[in-house]
Amino acid sequence: MRRVAWLRILFRGVVWAAVYNAAWGVAWHGFMRHEWAQAATSSGDAMPWTADFWIIWIPLTIPFGIAISAYLDAEAQRQRPLPASLAASLVLWAPGTIGMVFSMALTPRVIVVDSAVNLVAVLFATLCVTWFVTRRARASAEKPTSAAA
């Protein structure tokens, strides 16, 4: 049985969260803030994404990254990194999108745009972690074994 490198998985989880949140930050400052502000104004609600929300949300994304990293680490042994990346991304992305669809306060435009941004951010972060995992798996596979000596 293979030893699980939890420190490495934790590090990759933090990297996943950083990449995901950076991608969201770019989209937020580029165009998503405007979309959400329009939706909040038209529904008469307050803007849901305040600084307090982001302070809580960003650390909460680290466990998502750790779970994805652990899953990809296990799948690397089966030599299926890209299908595993896609599956992990969809499993994380789908519930958020389904939740937005059933929210009565959101416009279809916000749901579609937010969902697309979230999918891109999740996939990009997951592919970055996949790169780390496959790079490590290749290095381990190329390493000569000491039992041959």
Side-chain angles (χ1 to χ4, degrees):
M1 184 177 231
R2 145 183 121 77
R3 192 179 124 241
V4 177
W6 288 109
L7 191 58
R8 189 174 298 127
I9 288 172
L10 176 66
F11 170 75
R12 290 178 189 150
V14 171
V15 168
W16 185 95
V19 171
Y20 171 81
N21 287 304
W24 247 109
V26 168
W28 181 256
H29 291 290
F31 60 92
M32 284 304 299
R33 180 177 28 194
H34 177 70
E35 294 291 335
W36 275 97
Q38 278 186 322
T41 301
S42 68
S43 69
D45 293 331
M47 179 69 136
W49 312 121
T50 62
D52 294 338
F53 171 83
W54 291 114
I55 289 169
I56 293 168
W57 175 250
I58 290 172
L60 285 177
T61 60
I62 294 172
F64 296 153
I66 292 169
I68 286 176
S69 178
Y71 175 73
L72 293 174
D73 193 60
E75 286 297 307
Q77 301 305 310
R78 296 187 185 138
Q79 304 295 326
R80 301 178 44 222
L82 288 178
S85 297
L86 183 59
S89 295
L90 291 177
V91 164
L92 187 61
W93 169 78
T97 298
I98 292 167
M100 283 191 298
V101 168
F102 289 107
S103 172
M104 298 300 173
L106 298 177
T107 64
R109 178 177 172 82
V110 167
I111 292 169
V112 169
V113 174
D114 191 279
S115 180
V117 167
N118 204 31
L119 180 59
V120 168
V122 167
L123 275 171
F124 185 60
T126 302
L127 289 173
C128 287
V129 170
T130 300
W131 180 79
F132 279 116
V133 169
T134 56
R135 195 176 120 230
R136 176 74 180 161
R138 280 191 207 118
S140 295
E142 293 171 357
K143 193 184 273 187
T145 59
S146 59

